[in-house]
Amino acid sequence: MKYLIQIYSNPESRAVWNGFTPEQQAEGYGFYQRISEELEASGEFVASEALADISLAKRVTSGDDGTVASDGPFAETKELLAGFYLVDCENESRAVAIAGRFPEAQFGLVEVRPVLEMASGPDV
């Protein structure tokens, strides 16, 4: 089953990150590289990406007059999606165990959601 592990950021976690030395930040990036390699080796890795700053986001509205993209940010929250991992693992417990390894989990900033499997074919 596939699970989306969403990694969020908030002012507290950003302050911790910004307080790190360049060496500590490099070590942090290394963690993500290592966990990606481990998940690839186990066959559970599907995809992972870090997201650009929310100020670069676009809100898209579509209607009779066409499609309009307006500048962001739009979030009314202090917690912003910073990146994600898509994993394919045996069960939710395994996905939660993976998610618990991320440093952001100590701030309560990691969420696990099952991915719905969409039916295909003429009966959809």
Side-chain angles (χ1 to χ4, degrees), residues 23-105:
E23 293 80 17
Q24 290 171 313
Q25 288 183 350
E27 186 178 316
Y29 289 128
F31 165 82
Y32 294 99
Q33 181 63 37
R34 286 188 305 279
I35 198 165
S36 294
E37 290 169 357
E38 289 175 23
L39 293 170
E40 286 176 9
S42 70
E44 296 171 304
F45 182 86
V46 177
S48 174
E49 295 291 342
L51 300 177
D53 187 86
I54 190 72
S55 65
L56 300 173
K58 299 288 184 195
R59 172 158 291 170
V60 178
T61 306
S62 182
D64 293 338
D65 295 333
T67 301
V68 176
S70 54
D71 291 336
F74 305 102
E76 296 294 328
T77 179
K78 292 180 180 180
E79 292 181 357
L80 303 171
L81 186 61
F84 68 89
Y85 273 75
L86 181 61
V87 296
D88 191 350
C89 52
E90 184 177 345
N91 55 43
E92 184 179 85
S93 294
R94 173 63 179 150
V96 168
I98 293 167
R101 294 178 60 196
F102 289 97
E104 292 83 359

